[in-house]
Amino acid sequence: MKKLLDEISQCAICKAHLPLGPRPVVTAHPNSKVVIIGQAPGTKVHESGIPWDDQSGKKLRQWLNVTDEQFYNTENFAIIPMGFCYPGKGKTGDLPPRPECAPQWHLQLLENMPNVQLIILIGSYAQHYYLNDKKTLTERVGDYISYLPKYFPIPHPSPTNRFWRAKNPWFEESIVPELQKVTKNILGLDSKNLKI
């Protein structure tokens, strides 16, 4: 795994398309139990090199009901975005993740993590790639049970996604508690250690 992560850190396959240059942001450990697959780092994460080190990350940790320490413990969570580097600005937010990363690296990473019990697919890019069905994000999130025990599809926790959350309050009311329960069971976290 260390060799693979070193190789990824040197990756420059889509260098020509990256406005801020390559800076792959990925974390993984041979003992990781839950994999989080989101989109791609934003500018803040590109600068810090720490995945989910932004408002979206705060919201995601709330949804998972884990502390920063638990979240960044790579034996708990591996964080493997669809695109490892900041893709640039689009008209309504960041550009889509670069298409080169997932086919190049995901399988190799997953093969080096034999203890993974759950893959959380955040947003439509990750869901299209892994679930390859004809459903909308809302349909997948509402029907999350049919993807368990391997996958758990959720929306992106970005502040720009607040309209979706306002339109679909059932997600935070009914599905987030289930996500917390599943995660807690897998990680064996004692509820007294968790954020309330």
Side-chain angles (χ1 to χ4, degrees), residues 20 29 65 83 88 125 129 131 158 164 167 180 195:
L20 302 181
H29 189 282
N65 198 21
Y125 295 110
Y129 187 84
L131 304 178
S158 164
W164 185 93
K167 234 168 72 175
Q180 293 175 357
K195 281 184 172 171

Side-chain angles (χ1 to χ4, degrees), residues 181-196:
K181 205 184 298 176
V182 170
T183 307
K184 182 183 155 189
N185 288 342
I186 290 170
L187 300 180
L189 297 173
D190 189 346
S191 53
K192 70 174 183 285
N193 294 328
L194 300 181
K195 281 184 172 171
I196 301 305

